[in-house]
Amino acid sequence: MARAPFELAGVKVAPGGRAQIDVPVAKLYTHAPLHIPVEVVHGRQPGPTLLVCGAIHGDEINGVEIVRRLLRSKGLQGLRGTLIAVPIVNVFGFVQHSRYLPDRRDLNRCFPGTETGSLGSRVAALFREQIVDQATHIIDLHTGAIHRTNLPQIRAQLTPESETEAIAMAFGVPVILNAELREGSLRHYAQSRGVPVLTYEAGEALRFDEWAIAPGVRGVRRVMRAIGMLASDRRRATPRPAEVANGSSWSRAPIDGILRPKVRLGARVAKGEVLGKVADPFGNSEEEVRATADGIVIGMGNLPLANEGEALFHVARFDAIEEAESAVETFQSDYDPAHEGMV
């Protein structure tokens, strides 16, 4: 029996075909239409339907490049199942270099949305109905927020021997954060429907970080091989198993002032260790920022200007801290030729 075409937003994609589809999302004040760009690759053979999406936060653009490279990578002609690639979900924020929608809502807090609600709720509902609800697996691509950078990591709600845990391990980054679900997020909505979903966090907003992009492309392809969408590639080495963090916390600015960091992204730190110092411009008032636990720095602020209470260093905690440190060092050395500041 021949495989049926895949339909999205009224467009049918034949088995073995691919198509770029503009999904109408809203209109600008000028009455000009705005669309979410989507590319569908529909394999000749049955298999999972994987959604890979970027820029739900409009200023988190590493995911846009990950999707572009994924679509140009070799092997998709032999795809089993269907790939739904959405480089830019929040087109409003992307155009304005902003995390948010024009109504200042965070799209990743608006799911499942409603057709009669706010702009954020309407966009979430449209994206869910037209695209998300067709997926059997989801990879959601993110970066740190503005002026923050993240060590490449997977965030997922893990349960032992679940498919989510299996694909998180397959992705091939050094750290997995067993993260609670946030109400209104895409991950929360998908998980409530029993759909395995990963959030890949790496790099900084409004930047192309090669050390975050290249592992992201490889990670998505590893997941596609793990769930049977791509043929296995025995030429590629199996990545070292990730270490799962059992929690994380932020160290915050003790006073207003200018931050001088003392540690780097990926560094192992001990509880009470000085991570940086915050001082006024004259150096008359200075206080230390200290680690609240033993762990690995998986995120940190890039802007030296800090207000009291601002989150500066994100430290993940591990039961096996030595293994986590080794996993991060191995990962960083693998991507050292393209390394831009991640030491």
Side-chain angles (χ1 to χ4, degrees):
M1 179 184 243
R3 191 176 187 214
F6 184 87
E7 185 171 348
L8 192 149
V11 177
K12 292 184 178 180
V13 185
R18 58 195 295 171
Q20 293 182 358
I21 304 168
D22 290 330
V23 179
V25 62
K27 291 181 179 179
L28 300 175
Y29 302 123
T30 61
H31 198 67
L34 206 61
H35 302 86
I36 295 177
V38 181
E39 183 159 341
V40 173
V41 185
H42 190 42
R44 295 184 184 278
Q45 300 298 321
T49 299
L50 173 66
L51 167 62
V52 181
C53 60
I56 279 185
H57 294 137
D59 59 354
E60 298 182 5
I61 66 174
N62 276 336
V64 180
E65 178 64 4
I66 290 172
V67 171
R68 186 193 71 81
R69 294 189 193 181
L70 175 66
L71 289 170
R72 298 297 170 261
S73 61
K74 298 177 180 179
L76 291 185
Q77 64 272 17
L79 182 76
R80 286 179 170 268
T82 305
L83 171 64
I84 308 174
V86 186
I88 305 160
V89 179
N90 182 0
V91 288
F92 290 98
F94 185 78
V95 169
Q96 296 296 323
H97 305 173
S98 172
R99 177 184 180 91
Y100 302 106
L101 291 158
D103 59 1
R104 295 298 297 170
R105 282 180 167 83
D106 183 335
L107 180 56
N108 207 30
R109 299 295 179 270
C110 293
F111 288 93
T114 173
E115 295 176 355
T116 58
S118 65
L119 175 62
S121 189
R122 290 169 186 257
V123 172
L126 181 141
F127 183 59
R128 169 181 57 81
E129 292 169 358
Q130 295 285 342
I131 299 170
V132 174
D133 285 349
Q134 301 209 54
T136 62
H137 300 74
I138 298 174
I139 300 177
D140 186 19
L141 306 170
H142 286 260
T143 75
I146 190 74
H147 304 313
R148 287 183 185 169
T149 189
N150 282 334
L151 183 78
Q153 60 197 260
I154 287 294
R155 297 184 184 179
Q157 187 178 57
L158 305 180
T159 54
E161 299 183 3
S162 66
E163 189 169 16
T164 299
E165 182 183 56
I167 62 175
M169 289 294 180
F171 199 98
V173 290
V175 172
I176 298 174
L177 193 59
N178 191 2
E180 294 295 324
L181 299 173
R182 291 193 175 185
E183 187 76 30
S185 67
L186 173 61
R187 191 161 64 91
H188 182 274
Y189 171 72
Q191 199 90 354
S192 71
R193 295 180 60 243
V195 175
V197 55
L198 305 181
T199 297
Y200 175 60
E201 288 271 0
E204 180 185 1
L206 295 176
R207 298 287 183 272
F208 270 2
D209 301 300
E210 183 60 28
W211 52 265
I213 293 168
V217 177
R218 293 187 186 184
V220 173
R221 288 180 58 83
R222 286 186 183 119
V223 170
M224 293 175 75
R225 287 195 289 270
I227 62 177
M229 296 183 73
L230 295 178
S232 60
D233 187 350
R234 296 179 180 177
R235 295 171 299 175
R236 293 188 179 275
T238 301
R240 175 172 177 154
E243 295 298 325
V244 178
N246 56 30
S248 67
S249 58
W250 283 91
S251 293
R252 299 178 179 272
I255 59 173
D256 303 306
I258 299 171
L259 170 68
R260 305 192 314 279
K262 301 295 183 183
V263 297
R264 298 177 178 180
L265 197 64
R268 176 181 175 179
V269 298
K271 182 177 181 178
E273 181 177 340
V274 176
L275 306 180
K277 296 182 179 181
V278 179
D280 65 52
F282 301 102
N284 296 326
S285 177
E286 179 176 271
E287 290 196 26
E288 297 171 335
V289 184
R290 293 183 177 271
T292 58
D294 297 343
I296 302 291
V297 178
I298 63 168
M300 59 187 294
N302 283 337
L303 188 67
L305 313 179
N307 294 117
E308 184 176 354
E310 187 172 345
L312 300 179
F313 300 92
H314 192 194
V315 177
R317 303 184 298 273
F318 299 86
D319 291 330
I321 184 67
E322 290 82 7
E323 286 80 356
E325 179 184 27
S326 178
V328 170
E329 289 176 348
T330 300
F331 177 85
Q332 290 174 338
S333 65
D334 287 344
Y335 288 97
D336 189 62
H339 189 146
E340 299 174 0
M342 187 180 73
V343 177

